[in-house]
Amino acid sequence: MRHIVALEGPMGAGKSEAGKQLVKRIPGSVLLPEPVDPQLLQLLYEDPKTWAGPFQVHALHERKRTSDLATALAKAGYLVFMDRSLWGDRAFALTNFRLGNIHPDMMRIKSRGRGSEAGVPLEYLQELSKAYDELLRDVDSAAYPWSHALKLHHFQWDMPTATEEGWDNAAASILADIARR
């Protein structure tokens, strides 16, 4: 079985582009895009108090399906890059909880045309970034029962100034990290 690499970070961090660039450079790799319902995403940004709970439940189900596909592909010998994962959803849920958009009783609700992201408030992005920092710190410190199954690979990039050489170095670094496992 090859590996599954989850590309995590807030919107605009460059996950999709990173995945595309890495798959171009690593033979036998595949990118699974983030499964997002653009209409539900737009509703979330227009009225987060109403739609954060339903969106989170929907996202969880979709990411589970993507995670199952990633596992099957990895078992078939592919190196799988996922644009977000089940684990990253914790950052979104935590952000929406802190902002008062998700309450415990909201979880009992009835059941990337990315232009919809244009109205995302700065406060939301800042809180989401903090939640991702916490998630990565918690995984690094083995705070979760599943932390042992993850190997975090940190690399920084600035999308507007990313170079081909930079992407080549990122791909080589990930492959070297995997080889050490």
Side-chain angles (χ1 to χ4, degrees):
M1 178 162 142
R2 285 201 66 186
H3 296 269
I4 298 171
V5 176
L7 303 170
E8 295 288 355
M11 293 91 76
K15 297 171 305 300
S16 299
E17 184 62 24
K20 290 175 191 172
Q21 292 294 333
L22 293 168
V23 165
K24 268 186 2 187
R25 290 163 168 77
I26 301 175
S29 65
V30 63
L31 172 64
L32 297 181
E34 180 179 12
V36 174
D37 178 335
Q39 293 165 327
L40 192 53
L41 184 64
Q42 185 170 352
L43 290 170
L44 167 69
Y45 292 142
E46 289 172 359
D47 186 2
K49 300 274 187 225
T50 300
W51 291 100
F55 181 86
Q56 203 61 45
V57 170
H58 173 77
L60 182 64
H61 287 287
E62 290 302 311
R63 287 203 220 298
K64 171 67 169 95
R65 282 182 227 189
T66 302
S67 184
D68 290 346
L69 176 58
T71 299
L73 289 168
K75 284 181 179 177
Y78 290 93
L79 171 59
V80 181
F81 290 94
M82 292 177 63
D83 187 342
R84 281 204 216 287
S85 68
L86 284 165
W87 306 295
D89 273 334
R90 180 183 183 281
F92 283 90
L94 183 59
T95 298
N96 278 300
F97 177 77
R98 287 179 177 162
L99 293 174
N101 298 334
I102 292 180
H103 302 284
D105 59 338
M106 283 183 66
M107 300 314 287
R108 294 188 302 251
I109 60 164
K110 294 180 183 173
S111 286
R112 193 156 181 27
R114 296 189 177 178
S116 60
E117 291 181 356
V120 179
L122 178 60
E123 178 189 25
Y124 182 82
L125 293 174
Q126 291 167 331
E127 285 298 319
L128 184 58
S129 185
K130 287 180 201 173
Y132 263 108
D133 289 344
E134 288 176 31
L135 173 68
L136 295 175
R137 186 187 64 243
D138 289 349
V139 169
D140 267 343
S141 68
Y144 303 110
W146 44 263
S147 294
H148 72 281
L150 300 178
K151 169 68 174 107
L152 296 182
H153 185 89
H154 301 273
F155 61 94
Q156 298 287 326
W157 71 86
D158 178 28
M159 290 308 300
T161 61
T163 65
E164 292 295 316
E165 180 182 3
W167 289 116
D168 291 343
N169 291 339
S173 178
I174 289 171
L175 288 174
D177 213 19
I178 288 171
R180 285 191 292 270
R181 290 191 97 205

